[in-house]
Amino acid sequence: MGDQVRLTVSSALEAFYQREAKHPEKIYLVQPLPDGQVEEISWGQAGDQARRVAAYLRSLDFPEHSHIALVSKNCAHWIIADLAIWMAGHVSVPLYPNLTADSARQILEHSEARAVFIGKLDDWQSMRPGMPPNLPMLGLPLAPEDPQLLSWQSLLQANDPMQGEPLPDPEQLATIIYTSGTTGMPKGVMLSFASMYFSANNCLRLFNISDADRLMSYLPLCHVAERQFVEVASLLAGETVFFADTLDSFQRDMQRARPTVFFGVPRIWVKFHMGVISKIPAALLDKLLKIPVIGRLMARKVLTGLGLDQIRYAVCGAAPVADTTLAWYRRLGLSIAEVYGMTENCGYSHLGRPSRVKPGWIGLPNPGVESRLSAEGELQVRSNATMLGYFKEPEKTAETLTEDGFLRTGDVGEIDNEGFLRLTGRIKDIFKTSKGKYVAPAPIENLLAAHSRVEQVCVVGNNLGQPLALVQLSEAGQQEAQSNREQLSKDFSVLLDDVNAKVERHEQLSCLVIVEDNWTIENGFMTPTLKIKRNVVEATYQDQFELWSVSGHRVLWQGQ
């Protein structure tokens, strides 16, 4: 049995000190290496390294609470560097590892960063010109080769471990998280140690998490969901954190980790699903799952192949997920709870309870969360997880926080008489057709995404007579398109009828357009958490919307 006793602490850093002292030999971080080997780092080793790097940061004589940036893909030393920044009395500013040079420079200068840690990156040479001159650059162990980087090993060798257990005031600024904005300058969300602790600790109270549990870290640690669910939660509960190496090794990394608690965005759960039915036809799998004994064995085999057979708690968040996706996993015996939150409240707002599942609804407010709907139907929430504000943006802070402390989420939703929340779209995503009717695209997109041949979908229709949907095919859909495009077109025509029968007349789609372009993080169509950037999609294809709408075809292929 693991340790299920909650530590008496006021911050994640204080929790680390206690775990470092309590079980220094216990493995905390498991990092795959480029040569195929694995590095296991204990709590004591993590503490020794963090203390040595903290001692170096203190030697630089930066003003108290200086901002130290961190640019790296997920790795064990991302967390160790973050601990070092906090131990030294500073504020961490994580950046997405795939930023352009211009975007990186913009954030580094806006955040007033005094130094930057550089870690595991895919294209350092492209980002390198974005580093402001004279900004000290410190390399993590998996950092790219660069003579300007002060190596991690040299930091460890040149500095004795910082002594003692310096603690911040709980209300002090801990981090500035820049949102992955789709347009303009991302906003720097200021989160305190207290708000990060409140969020993670209360989530842990909802589940029976112990230091025997295992986490898999693969979503960007600079995003609030991974930061809270993996980093802060593991510091508080003592879980072991395994890291993914590359996209190609992800399945192997999952098999190594066999996580017991797992957070996935909708697209990850869909990819798992599509991967299974690409190997065994959906109809055959459904038939096998209905056979009493064989069905249980088949379900276990599927989950084992995905590395999900040890899961005790599975969570989905960061974007709407189709009910059919959740239902498919329930048939395998895996119940996925939906979670809802924002960077501005440490990702802490609403959570589905495994014992109280209500299809189509996210769940109930988390402990300590108040929620309400504005006259326009916008969800507003208030709790101790709410941000301090936007860095150097008092006017935007005032626009986002009401006078009585509620956070304006920008999401339109419904709350039933039991307190369950259902979101119907983003205020900024709602568009008006040429007939003057307003349409929320998210519910329509969820209906389309339930189809096994759909990978991603974006419903558009601003100033059009009727909306239309842009569809990107799943891997199985692409294979089918190569062998029998005509049949796939017929299937999508049936899907169009099914969806239009379930929505209001003004929401009915004029056509489906199969887009052959790839929508990826790298080409700017998706955020780092795999959400479509709607404005990029619309800007790319808007010149063809009217033509597609009046083509007379129900299902079109890009270029047709």
Side-chain angles (χ1 to χ4, degrees), residues 415-442:
I415 299 175
D416 72 3
N417 55 10
E418 295 180 275
F420 280 85
L421 170 69
R422 173 164 60 195
L423 297 180
T424 55
R426 295 282 295 168
I427 290 177
K428 66 179 182 181
D429 291 343
I430 295 174
F431 57 79
K432 186 166 68 171
T433 68
S434 62
K435 299 173 183 176
K437 297 289 188 178
Y438 287 95
V439 176

PDB file of all heavy atoms in Angstrom, residues 415-442:
ATOM      1  N   ILE A 415     -26.545  24.943 -16.368  1.00  0.00           N
ATOM      2  CA  ILE A 415     -26.402  24.309 -15.060  1.00  0.00           C
ATOM      3  C   ILE A 415     -27.768  23.761 -14.667  1.00  0.00           C
ATOM      4  O   ILE A 415     -28.751  24.513 -14.634  1.00  0.00           O
ATOM      5  CB  ILE A 415     -25.901  25.308 -13.995  1.00  0.00           C
ATOM      6  CG1 ILE A 415     -24.521  25.863 -14.389  1.00  0.00           C
ATOM      7  CG2 ILE A 415     -25.829  24.635 -12.631  1.00  0.00           C
ATOM      8  CD1 ILE A 415     -23.999  26.944 -13.460  1.00  0.00           C
ATOM      9  N   ASP A 416     -27.849  22.453 -14.396  1.00  0.00           N
ATOM     10  CA  ASP A 416     -29.148  21.872 -14.064  1.00  0.00           C
ATOM     11  C   ASP A 416     -29.429  22.026 -12.572  1.00  0.00           C
ATOM     12  O   ASP A 416     -28.626  22.588 -11.818  1.00  0.00           O
ATOM     13  CB  ASP A 416     -29.237  20.411 -14.521  1.00  0.00           C
ATOM     14  CG  ASP A 416     -28.383  19.457 -13.691  1.00  0.00           C
ATOM     15  OD1 ASP A 416     -27.751  19.899 -12.709  1.00  0.00           O
ATOM     16  OD2 ASP A 416     -28.351  18.253 -14.018  1.00  0.00           O
ATOM     17  N   ASN A 417     -30.576  21.523 -12.137  1.00  0.00           N
ATOM     18  CA  ASN A 417     -30.978  21.730 -10.742  1.00  0.00           C
ATOM     19  C   ASN A 417     -30.138  20.945  -9.740  1.00  0.00           C
ATOM     20  O   ASN A 417     -30.238  21.158  -8.536  1.00  0.00           O
ATOM     21  CB  ASN A 417     -32.472  21.400 -10.548  1.00  0.00           C
ATOM     22  CG  ASN A 417     -32.815  19.993 -11.018  1.00  0.00           C
ATOM     23  OD1 ASN A 417     -31.927  19.196 -11.307  1.00  0.00           O
ATOM     24  ND2 ASN A 417     -34.100  19.695 -11.098  1.00  0.00           N
ATOM     25  N   GLU A 418     -29.309  20.009 -10.234  1.00  0.00           N
ATOM     26  CA  GLU A 418     -28.397  19.287  -9.353  1.00  0.00           C
ATOM     27  C   GLU A 418     -27.023  19.929  -9.312  1.00  0.00           C
ATOM     28  O   GLU A 418     -26.167  19.528  -8.532  1.00  0.00           O
ATOM     29  CB  GLU A 418     -28.239  17.835  -9.815  1.00  0.00           C
ATOM     30  CG  GLU A 418     -29.492  16.995  -9.733  1.00  0.00           C
ATOM     31  CD  GLU A 418     -29.234  15.580 -10.213  1.00  0.00           C
ATOM     32  OE1 GLU A 418     -29.312  15.341 -11.425  1.00  0.00           O
ATOM     33  OE2 GLU A 418     -28.919  14.713  -9.358  1.00  0.00           O
ATOM     34  N   GLY A 419     -26.793  20.927 -10.174  1.00  0.00           N
ATOM     35  CA  GLY A 419     -25.493  21.587 -10.228  1.00  0.00           C
ATOM     36  C   GLY A 419     -24.587  21.087 -11.327  1.00  0.00           C
ATOM     37  O   GLY A 419     -23.450  21.564 -11.465  1.00  0.00           O
ATOM     38  N   PHE A 420     -25.049  20.124 -12.142  1.00  0.00           N
ATOM     39  CA  PHE A 420     -24.234  19.627 -13.245  1.00  0.00           C
ATOM     40  C   PHE A 420     -24.054  20.711 -14.304  1.00  0.00           C
ATOM     41  O   PHE A 420     -24.982  21.465 -14.604  1.00  0.00           O
ATOM     42  CB  PHE A 420     -24.885  18.396 -13.891  1.00  0.00           C
ATOM     43  CG  PHE A 420     -24.646  17.118 -13.137  1.00  0.00           C
ATOM     44  CD1 PHE A 420     -25.463  16.752 -12.068  1.00  0.00           C
ATOM     45  CD2 PHE A 420     -23.607  16.267 -13.490  1.00  0.00           C
ATOM     46  CE1 PHE A 420     -25.246  15.571 -11.379  1.00  0.00           C
ATOM     47  CE2 PHE A 420     -23.380  15.088 -12.808  1.00  0.00           C
ATOM     48  CZ  PHE A 420     -24.198  14.731 -11.746  1.00  0.00           C
ATOM     49  N   LEU A 421     -22.857  20.742 -14.874  1.00  0.00           N
ATOM     50  CA  LEU A 421     -22.525  21.739 -15.898  1.00  0.00           C
ATOM     51  C   LEU A 421     -22.461  21.086 -17.273  1.00  0.00           C
ATOM     52  O   LEU A 421     -21.915  19.997 -17.440  1.00  0.00           O
ATOM     53  CB  LEU A 421     -21.167  22.369 -15.590  1.00  0.00           C
ATOM     54  CG  LEU A 421     -20.557  23.267 -16.681  1.00  0.00           C
ATOM     55  CD1 LEU A 421     -21.370  24.546 -16.832  1.00  0.00           C
ATOM     56  CD2 LEU A 421     -19.093  23.582 -16.359  1.00  0.00           C
ATOM     57  N   ARG A 422     -23.029  21.781 -18.265  1.00  0.00           N
ATOM     58  CA  ARG A 422     -22.868  21.398 -19.661  1.00  0.00           C
ATOM     59  C   ARG A 422     -22.473  22.644 -20.432  1.00  0.00           C
ATOM     60  O   ARG A 422     -23.116  23.684 -20.318  1.00  0.00           O
ATOM     61  CB  ARG A 422     -24.165  20.811 -20.229  1.00  0.00           C
ATOM     62  CG  ARG A 422     -24.080  20.561 -21.737  1.00  0.00           C
ATOM     63  CD  ARG A 422     -25.167  19.641 -22.235  1.00  0.00           C
ATOM     64  NE  ARG A 422     -26.497  20.163 -21.993  1.00  0.00           N
ATOM     65  CZ  ARG A 422     -27.619  19.430 -22.073  1.00  0.00           C
ATOM     66  NH1 ARG A 422     -27.522  18.138 -22.365  1.00  0.00           N
ATOM     67  NH2 ARG A 422     -28.801  19.973 -21.853  1.00  0.00           N
ATOM     68  N   LEU A 423     -21.408  22.529 -21.237  1.00  0.00           N
ATOM     69  CA  LEU A 423     -20.968  23.656 -22.046  1.00  0.00           C
ATOM     70  C   LEU A 423     -21.525  23.523 -23.451  1.00  0.00           C
ATOM     71  O   LEU A 423     -21.569  22.423 -24.015  1.00  0.00           O
ATOM     72  CB  LEU A 423     -19.439  23.710 -22.106  1.00  0.00           C
ATOM     73  CG  LEU A 423     -18.723  23.931 -20.767  1.00  0.00           C
ATOM     74  CD1 LEU A 423     -17.221  23.969 -20.973  1.00  0.00           C
ATOM     75  CD2 LEU A 423     -19.192  25.222 -20.099  1.00  0.00           C
ATOM     76  N   THR A 424     -21.939  24.629 -24.011  1.00  0.00           N
ATOM     77  CA  THR A 424     -22.515  24.612 -25.361  1.00  0.00           C
ATOM     78  C   THR A 424     -21.656  25.384 -26.366  1.00  0.00           C
ATOM     79  O   THR A 424     -22.001  25.441 -27.537  1.00  0.00           O
ATOM     80  CB  THR A 424     -23.932  25.197 -25.348  1.00  0.00           C
ATOM     81  OG1 THR A 424     -23.902  26.502 -24.767  1.00  0.00           O
ATOM     82  CG2 THR A 424     -24.864  24.308 -24.529  1.00  0.00           C
ATOM     83  N   GLY A 425     -20.543  25.941 -25.907  1.00  0.00           N
ATOM     84  CA  GLY A 425     -19.652  26.619 -26.842  1.00  0.00           C
ATOM     85  C   GLY A 425     -18.941  27.797 -26.211  1.00  0.00           C
ATOM     86  O   GLY A 425     -19.235  28.196 -25.086  1.00  0.00           O
ATOM     87  N   ARG A 426     -17.976  28.329 -26.953  1.00  0.00           N
ATOM     88  CA  ARG A 426     -17.276  29.533 -26.546  1.00  0.00           C
ATOM     89  C   ARG A 426     -18.007  30.742 -27.109  1.00  0.00           C
ATOM     90  O   ARG A 426     -18.472  30.732 -28.253  1.00  0.00           O
ATOM     91  CB  ARG A 426     -15.844  29.535 -27.094  1.00  0.00           C
ATOM     92  CG  ARG A 426     -14.950  28.466 -26.552  1.00  0.00           C
ATOM     93  CD  ARG A 426     -14.454  28.793 -25.171  1.00  0.00           C
ATOM     94  NE  ARG A 426     -13.583  29.972 -25.151  1.00  0.00           N
ATOM     95  CZ  ARG A 426     -13.212  30.585 -24.019  1.00  0.00           C
ATOM     96  NH1 ARG A 426     -13.661  30.161 -22.847  1.00  0.00           N
ATOM     97  NH2 ARG A 426     -12.411  31.635 -24.049  1.00  0.00           N
ATOM     98  N   ILE A 427     -18.120  31.790 -26.317  1.00  0.00           N
ATOM     99  CA  ILE A 427     -18.778  33.006 -26.780  1.00  0.00           C
ATOM    100  C   ILE A 427     -18.137  33.508 -28.074  1.00  0.00           C
ATOM    101  O   ILE A 427     -18.815  33.858 -29.033  1.00  0.00           O
ATOM    102  CB  ILE A 427     -18.716  34.102 -25.696  1.00  0.00           C
ATOM    103  CG1 ILE A 427     -19.626  33.740 -24.511  1.00  0.00           C
ATOM    104  CG2 ILE A 427     -19.112  35.460 -26.270  1.00  0.00           C
ATOM    105  CD1 ILE A 427     -19.570  34.720 -23.368  1.00  0.00           C
ATOM    106  N   LYS A 428     -16.805  33.480 -28.122  1.00  0.00           N
ATOM    107  CA  LYS A 428     -16.113  34.007 -29.300  1.00  0.00           C
ATOM    108  C   LYS A 428     -16.232  33.076 -30.508  1.00  0.00           C
ATOM    109  O   LYS A 428     -15.948  33.484 -31.638  1.00  0.00           O
ATOM    110  CB  LYS A 428     -14.641  34.257 -28.982  1.00  0.00           C
ATOM    111  CG  LYS A 428     -13.838  33.007 -28.689  1.00  0.00           C
ATOM    112  CD  LYS A 428     -12.386  33.359 -28.404  1.00  0.00           C
ATOM    113  CE  LYS A 428     -11.547  32.113 -28.159  1.00  0.00           C
ATOM    114  NZ  LYS A 428     -10.141  32.435 -27.865  1.00  0.00           N
ATOM    115  N   ASP A 429     -16.643  31.813 -30.293  1.00  0.00           N
ATOM    116  CA  ASP A 429     -16.787  30.867 -31.405  1.00  0.00           C
ATOM    117  C   ASP A 429     -18.161  30.931 -32.055  1.00  0.00           C
ATOM    118  O   ASP A 429     -18.350  30.481 -33.187  1.00  0.00           O
ATOM    119  CB  ASP A 429     -16.537  29.426 -30.939  1.00  0.00           C
ATOM    120  CG  ASP A 429     -15.085  29.177 -30.573  1.00  0.00           C
ATOM    121  OD1 ASP A 429     -14.237  29.992 -30.979  1.00  0.00           O
ATOM    122  OD2 ASP A 429     -14.801  28.190 -29.874  1.00  0.00           O
ATOM    123  N   ILE A 430     -19.146  31.451 -31.322  1.00  0.00           N
ATOM    124  CA  ILE A 430     -20.509  31.531 -31.857  1.00  0.00           C
ATOM    125  C   ILE A 430     -20.535  32.510 -33.037  1.00  0.00           C
ATOM    126  O   ILE A 430     -19.994  33.617 -32.951  1.00  0.00           O
ATOM    127  CB  ILE A 430     -21.494  31.974 -30.760  1.00  0.00           C
ATOM    128  CG1 ILE A 430     -21.578  30.898 -29.669  1.00  0.00           C
ATOM    129  CG2 ILE A 430     -22.873  32.243 -31.342  1.00  0.00           C
ATOM    130  CD1 ILE A 430     -22.411  31.309 -28.472  1.00  0.00           C
ATOM    131  N   PHE A 431     -21.116  32.071 -34.137  1.00  0.00           N
ATOM    132  CA  PHE A 431     -21.169  32.929 -35.321  1.00  0.00           C
ATOM    133  C   PHE A 431     -22.616  33.159 -35.751  1.00  0.00           C
ATOM    134  O   PHE A 431     -23.530  32.472 -35.297  1.00  0.00           O
ATOM    135  CB  PHE A 431     -20.348  32.329 -36.471  1.00  0.00           C
ATOM    136  CG  PHE A 431     -20.748  30.935 -36.877  1.00  0.00           C
ATOM    137  CD1 PHE A 431     -21.852  30.699 -37.692  1.00  0.00           C
ATOM    138  CD2 PHE A 431     -20.004  29.841 -36.447  1.00  0.00           C
ATOM    139  CE1 PHE A 431     -22.211  29.421 -38.063  1.00  0.00           C
ATOM    140  CE2 PHE A 431     -20.355  28.548 -36.818  1.00  0.00           C
ATOM    141  CZ  PHE A 431     -21.464  28.333 -37.630  1.00  0.00           C
ATOM    142  N   LYS A 432     -22.818  34.154 -36.630  1.00  0.00           N
ATOM    143  CA  LYS A 432     -24.152  34.493 -37.112  1.00  0.00           C
ATOM    144  C   LYS A 432     -24.219  34.245 -38.611  1.00  0.00           C
ATOM    145  O   LYS A 432     -23.365  34.699 -39.370  1.00  0.00           O
ATOM    146  CB  LYS A 432     -24.487  35.952 -36.788  1.00  0.00           C
ATOM    147  CG  LYS A 432     -25.921  36.340 -37.132  1.00  0.00           C
ATOM    148  CD  LYS A 432     -26.319  37.662 -36.490  1.00  0.00           C
ATOM    149  CE  LYS A 432     -25.571  38.831 -37.065  1.00  0.00           C
ATOM    150  NZ  LYS A 432     -26.123  40.131 -36.582  1.00  0.00           N
ATOM    151  N   THR A 433     -25.238  33.504 -39.035  1.00  0.00           N
ATOM    152  CA  THR A 433     -25.419  33.232 -40.457  1.00  0.00           C
ATOM    153  C   THR A 433     -25.956  34.480 -41.162  1.00  0.00           C
ATOM    154  O   THR A 433     -26.351  35.462 -40.513  1.00  0.00           O
ATOM    155  CB  THR A 433     -26.390  32.059 -40.675  1.00  0.00           C
ATOM    156  OG1 THR A 433     -27.709  32.472 -40.259  1.00  0.00           O
ATOM    157  CG2 THR A 433     -25.959  30.831 -39.896  1.00  0.00           C
ATOM    158  N   SER A 434     -25.998  34.433 -42.480  1.00  0.00           N
ATOM    159  CA  SER A 434     -26.511  35.577 -43.240  1.00  0.00           C
ATOM    160  C   SER A 434     -27.992  35.799 -42.985  1.00  0.00           C
ATOM    161  O   SER A 434     -28.525  36.864 -43.318  1.00  0.00           O
ATOM    162  CB  SER A 434     -26.256  35.358 -44.734  1.00  0.00           C
ATOM    163  OG  SER A 434     -26.947  34.205 -45.192  1.00  0.00           O
ATOM    164  N   LYS A 435     -28.657  34.801 -42.383  1.00  0.00           N
ATOM    165  CA  LYS A 435     -30.079  34.932 -42.051  1.00  0.00           C
ATOM    166  C   LYS A 435     -30.280  35.541 -40.666  1.00  0.00           C
ATOM    167  O   LYS A 435     -31.412  35.655 -40.188  1.00  0.00           O
ATOM    168  CB  LYS A 435     -30.746  33.563 -42.110  1.00  0.00           C
ATOM    169  CG  LYS A 435     -30.666  32.908 -43.501  1.00  0.00           C
ATOM    170  CD  LYS A 435     -31.198  31.488 -43.470  1.00  0.00           C
ATOM    171  CE  LYS A 435     -31.043  30.820 -44.836  1.00  0.00           C
ATOM    172  NZ  LYS A 435     -31.474  29.397 -44.821  1.00  0.00           N
ATOM    173  N   GLY A 436     -29.175  35.895 -40.013  1.00  0.00           N
ATOM    174  CA  GLY A 436     -29.266  36.538 -38.704  1.00  0.00           C
ATOM    175  C   GLY A 436     -29.402  35.571 -37.544  1.00  0.00           C
ATOM    176  O   GLY A 436     -29.692  35.991 -36.423  1.00  0.00           O
ATOM    177  N   LYS A 437     -29.184  34.280 -37.777  1.00  0.00           N
ATOM    178  CA  LYS A 437     -29.311  33.271 -36.734  1.00  0.00           C
ATOM    179  C   LYS A 437     -27.938  32.954 -36.130  1.00  0.00           C
ATOM    180  O   LYS A 437     -26.949  32.822 -36.858  1.00  0.00           O
ATOM    181  CB  LYS A 437     -29.917  31.977 -37.294  1.00  0.00           C
ATOM    182  CG  LYS A 437     -31.334  32.142 -37.829  1.00  0.00           C
ATOM    183  CD  LYS A 437     -32.335  32.345 -36.702  1.00  0.00           C
ATOM    184  CE  LYS A 437     -33.777  32.311 -37.212  1.00  0.00           C
ATOM    185  NZ  LYS A 437     -34.750  32.459 -36.120  1.00  0.00           N
ATOM    186  N   TYR A 438     -27.902  32.802 -34.796  1.00  0.00           N
ATOM    187  CA  TYR A 438     -26.657  32.482 -34.118  1.00  0.00           C
ATOM    188  C   TYR A 438     -26.484  30.965 -34.007  1.00  0.00           C
ATOM    189  O   TYR A 438     -27.434  30.233 -33.721  1.00  0.00           O
ATOM    190  CB  TYR A 438     -26.625  33.107 -32.723  1.00  0.00           C
ATOM    191  CG  TYR A 438     -26.435  34.605 -32.754  1.00  0.00           C
ATOM    192  CD1 TYR A 438     -27.537  35.468 -32.707  1.00  0.00           C
ATOM    193  CD2 TYR A 438     -25.159  35.162 -32.854  1.00  0.00           C
ATOM    194  CE1 TYR A 438     -27.366  36.844 -32.754  1.00  0.00           C
ATOM    195  CE2 TYR A 438     -24.986  36.537 -32.900  1.00  0.00           C
ATOM    196  CZ  TYR A 438     -26.086  37.369 -32.848  1.00  0.00           C
ATOM    197  OH  TYR A 438     -25.910  38.722 -32.906  1.00  0.00           O
ATOM    198  N   VAL A 439     -25.232  30.508 -34.220  1.00  0.00           N
ATOM    199  CA  VAL A 439     -24.926  29.071 -34.189  1.00  0.00           C
ATOM    200  C   VAL A 439     -23.703  28.839 -33.297  1.00  0.00           C
ATOM    201  O   VAL A 439     -22.674  29.500 -33.457  1.00  0.00           O
ATOM    202  CB  VAL A 439     -24.620  28.526 -35.601  1.00  0.00           C
ATOM    203  CG1 VAL A 439     -24.205  27.050 -35.536  1.00  0.00           C
ATOM    204  CG2 VAL A 439     -25.829  28.698 -36.510  1.00  0.00           C
ATOM    205  N   ALA A 440     -23.831  27.891 -32.358  1.00  0.00           N
ATOM    206  CA  ALA A 440     -22.692  27.444 -31.548  1.00  0.00           C
ATOM    207  C   ALA A 440     -22.131  26.181 -32.206  1.00  0.00           C
ATOM    208  O   ALA A 440     -22.829  25.168 -32.299  1.00  0.00           O
ATOM    209  CB  ALA A 440     -23.124  27.151 -30.114  1.00  0.00           C
ATOM    210  N   PRO A 441     -20.903  26.215 -32.697  1.00  0.00           N
ATOM    211  CA  PRO A 441     -20.399  25.081 -33.473  1.00  0.00           C
ATOM    212  C   PRO A 441     -20.064  23.830 -32.673  1.00  0.00           C
ATOM    213  O   PRO A 441     -20.144  22.717 -33.200  1.00  0.00           O
ATOM    214  CB  PRO A 441     -19.138  25.644 -34.130  1.00  0.00           C
ATOM    215  CG  PRO A 441     -18.700  26.761 -33.235  1.00  0.00           C
ATOM    216  CD  PRO A 441     -19.958  27.345 -32.677  1.00  0.00           C
ATOM    217  N   ALA A 442     -19.682  23.966 -31.404  1.00  0.00           N
ATOM    218  CA  ALA A 442     -19.168  22.824 -30.639  1.00  0.00           C
ATOM    219  C   ALA A 442     -20.125  21.630 -30.567  1.00  0.00           C
ATOM    220  O   ALA A 442     -19.711  20.485 -30.806  1.00  0.00           O
ATOM    221  CB  ALA A 442     -18.768  23.270 -29.233  1.00  0.00           C
TER     222      ALA A 442
END
